[in-house]
């Protein structure tokens, strides 16, 4: 159901706003403040990347395709960046503004994730996954130069390909697996079984 997806993704985007607004004051059980600060920054980076991912998905489901010639006047989707509970009607902003927010969020996410590395698995955003998404966003925007340069930077960091002759040993028998060197991000656990 489209409305259910709409509601869930906007709820997720709202939750990322809460994290972005409040993570700098968060405290944890770890006594080492350097570790706390590094964790805060990493989580903030993940929140920016996830918010960008949610808006990218929503704009591609509920708005027209991006066209550089008309993006400034083509309606996009509402973009919420606050955590207030105002009872106001949110208006659609232009595709240009939606995509601009997505790019800004990813540009905020990438350095936070790169400079504050944490092993989180492939169901959470890494700097590489955020770069891959940024390259795709540029591609959808028809910004060929930035799409190419972002993809080249990503491939320079991780150009690994899955050796299909070794699927059985290296990926539990599945090409789409968390063990695949090609997989950078997954929206959930990968336990796909095709019969």
């Amino acid at each position: 159901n489209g409305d259910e997806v709409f509601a869930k993704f906007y709820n997720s985007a709202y939750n990322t706003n809460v994290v972005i607004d409040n993570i700098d004051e968060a405290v944890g059980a770890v006594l080492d403040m350097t570790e706390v600060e590094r964790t805060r920054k990493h989580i903030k980076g993940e929140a920016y990347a996830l918010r960008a991912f949610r808006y990218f998905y929503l704009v591609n489901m509920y708005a027209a395709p991006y066209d550089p010639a008309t993006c400034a006047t083509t309606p996009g989707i509402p973009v919420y960046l606050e955590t207030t509970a105002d009872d106001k009607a949110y208006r659609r902003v232009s595709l240009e503004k939606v995509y601009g927010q997505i790019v800004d969020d990813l540009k905020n996410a990438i350095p936070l994730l790169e400079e504050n590395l944490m092993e989180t698995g492939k169901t959470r955003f890494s700097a590489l996954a955020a770069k891959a998404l940024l390259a795709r966003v540029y591609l959808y925007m028809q910004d060929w130069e930035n799409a190419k340069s972002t993809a080249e930077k990503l491939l320079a960091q991780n150009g690994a390909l899955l050796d299909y002759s070794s699927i059985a040993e290296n990926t539990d028998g599945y090409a789409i697996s968390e063990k695949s060197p090609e997989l950078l991000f997954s929206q959930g656990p990968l336990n796909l079984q095709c019969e």
Side-chain angles (χ1 to χ4, degrees):
N1 180 335
D3 291 339
E4 185 177 324
V5 170
F6 188 84
K8 284 184 177 182
F9 273 46
Y10 269 106
N11 185 55
S12 177
Y14 171 80
N15 290 335
T16 63
N17 292 339
V18 171
V19 171
I20 291 166
D21 286 354
N22 296 292
I23 193 69
D24 293 336
E25 286 78 40
V27 293
V30 181
L31 298 177
D32 179 3
M33 285 311 292
T34 303
E35 185 68 18
V36 170
E37 188 61 25
R38 188 176 70 78
T39 302
R40 284 180 187 154
K41 288 179 179 176
H42 182 89
I43 291 171
K44 191 173 196 175
E46 284 186 75
Y48 277 120
L50 184 58
R51 183 169 72 183
F53 178 70
R54 293 302 188 221
Y55 282 132
F56 183 62
Y57 191 96
L58 285 163
V59 76
N60 280 285
M61 277 191 72
Y62 298 103
Y66 189 95
D67 179 348
T70 60
C71 65
T73 57
T74 303
I77 58 171
V79 173
Y80 306 107
L81 302 178
E82 302 93 30
T83 56
T84 59
D86 293 343
D87 188 19
K88 62 181 177 182
Y90 289 92
R91 304 271 182 243
R92 293 167 72 176
V93 297
S94 70
L95 283 177
E96 182 177 55
K97 287 184 180 177
V98 176
Y99 275 83
Q101 184 61 52
I102 293 167
V103 169
D104 287 348
D105 279 352
L106 290 168
K107 286 182 173 181
N108 283 327
I110 291 167
L112 288 168
L113 294 168
E114 283 180 330
E115 295 163 14
N116 302 284
L117 293 175
M118 290 178 64
E119 184 56 46
T120 57
K122 294 182 179 181
T123 58
R124 290 173 55 183
F125 265 97
S126 65
L128 291 175
K131 283 181 186 175
L133 179 57
L134 182 58
R136 178 174 287 189
V137 170
Y138 284 138
L139 188 66
Y140 278 49
M141 294 172 71
Q142 301 175 40
D143 183 345
W144 314 123
E145 286 304 313
N146 277 323
K148 179 183 177 202
S149 67
T150 304
E152 286 173 341
K153 289 174 190 170
L154 170 65
L155 289 171
Q157 287 182 276
N158 179 20
L161 295 174
L162 175 62
D163 178 357
Y164 277 81
S165 67
S166 68
I167 286 177
E169 313 83 70
N170 295 329
T171 62
D172 301 326
Y174 302 103
I176 300 174
S177 163
E178 286 193 34
K179 294 180 181 177
S180 172
E182 294 178 21
L183 182 74
L184 299 177
F185 175 72
S186 170
Q187 293 185 58
L190 292 172
N191 52 0
L192 306 173
Q193 295 188 5
C194 299
E195 300 291 324

